[in-house]
Amino acid sequence: MKKYYGVLKSCPLFAGFEESGLFSMLACLGARVTEFGKRENIISEGDAAKYVGIMLSGSAQIMRMDWFGNRSIVGSVAPPQIFGESFACAGVEAMPVDVVASEKCEVMLIDNMRITHPCDNACDFHRQLIYNLMKVMAMKNLAFHQKIEVMSRRTTREKLLAYLAFEAKRAGGRCFEIPYDRQALADYLEVDRSGLSAEISKLRNEGVLESRKNNFKLL
């Protein structure tokens, strides 16, 4: 576990914990680390919604598939972000989404009940941990509203520019990298890939932006 300390100390779920206390807490929580290969499901739709996942290395995408096989990307996960906590805390019986590895990755999984319910030893870290979990969920709620604002735009061009504006603001500058390739970006914005590529080309020709793969610069 100690080799993951650099990632774990940056994870918002563990804010306020020192190294010694952190590893004692993880042992009490029964945390386990699992490796996943590229395109392997970390969590599948229909699985029991009981785990909080922490991305230790690599990355993954949270996606939803409709009845007709159309994919919609809900979001992406990279170290030291967490996932699955909203569904676990909501008490839903089964996961309504898939979490799929975008590349080889390592994930820490913790049973949410071990976080939200104090153990028999009455460890004193639970109060801080629950507070941190509530803060993480609040931040996720803000991010969800951001996506609603993007998706409320009427055209592919408007959706794309709204999304890129948010990413530039988050990066703190005109140059930034997004976590999606073209197909994944189209799935995230819920637009046609060819139409998205055409809009990016138009915006480049108009001098609005520069792009290379998943790197963008707003001009």
Side-chain angles (χ1 to χ4, degrees):
M1 285 288 186
K2 288 192 174 182
K3 72 175 183 177
Y4 303 115
Y5 179 67
V7 177
L8 294 174
K9 72 176 182 180
S10 302
C11 179
L13 185 61
F14 304 129
F17 291 98
E18 299 297 330
E19 181 175 358
S20 59
L22 174 60
F23 292 113
S24 296
M25 175 183 66
L26 291 175
C28 182
L29 293 172
R32 58 186 176 89
V33 176
T34 306
E35 292 186 2
F36 296 90
K38 185 176 181 180
R39 297 190 181 91
E40 187 176 355
N41 277 32
I42 299 170
I43 297 176
S44 298
E45 181 180 353
D47 285 353
K50 64 176 184 177
Y51 291 108
V52 173
I54 303 166
M55 189 62 64
L56 301 175
S57 68
S59 60
Q61 292 177 344
I62 303 171
M63 58 184 68
R64 181 181 288 110
M65 198 78 70
D66 69 16
W67 179 262
F68 302 102
N70 299 308
R71 184 180 72 160
S72 174
I73 293 180
V74 179
S76 60
V77 189
Q81 295 175 326
I82 75 173
F83 58 90
E85 75 291 340
S86 297
F87 302 111
C89 289
V92 298
E93 292 186 0
M95 290 289 291
V97 297
D98 295 312
V99 182
V100 183
S102 304
E103 56 188 313
K104 183 179 179 181
C105 61
E106 295 173 292
V107 175
M108 177 178 287
L109 294 173
I110 304 173
D111 189 325
N112 187 61
M113 292 292 287
R114 302 286 290 270
I115 296 176
T116 56
H117 292 72
C119 65
D120 294 336
N121 297 326
C123 301
D124 58 5
F125 62 76
H126 275 99
R127 181 177 297 178
Q128 180 67 41
L129 199 59
I130 292 172
Y131 171 80
N132 290 347
L133 182 60
M134 291 177 62
K135 189 172 182 180
V136 168
M137 292 176 65
M139 294 301 295
K140 289 284 188 73
N141 191 46
L142 293 176
F144 176 70
H145 283 289
Q146 174 182 304
K147 182 170 185 182
I148 290 176
E149 184 172 343
V150 171
M151 299 307 298
S152 67
R153 307 302 171 93
R154 293 180 178 275
T155 66
T156 297
R157 181 188 182 100
E158 290 174 345
K159 290 181 180 180
L160 173 63
L161 288 175
Y163 171 71
L164 294 179
F166 277 122
E167 289 297 308
K169 185 176 181 180
R170 184 168 65 176
R174 295 175 179 271
C175 300
F176 54 91
E177 181 178 324
I178 66 172
Y180 305 119
D181 59 20
R182 288 290 184 270
Q183 182 60 60
L185 179 58
D187 291 339
Y188 178 81
L189 297 176
E190 299 184 13
V191 298
D192 179 71
R193 176 179 175 173
S194 59
L196 173 66
S197 296
E199 287 299 337
I200 291 174
S201 295
K202 289 179 184 178
L203 291 167
R204 280 201 300 254
N205 293 334
E206 294 170 12
V208 176
L209 57 79
E210 294 177 359
S211 67
R212 179 178 175 80
K213 295 185 177 180
N214 60 339
N215 292 286
F216 286 81
K217 180 180 181 180
L218 295 182
L219 303 176

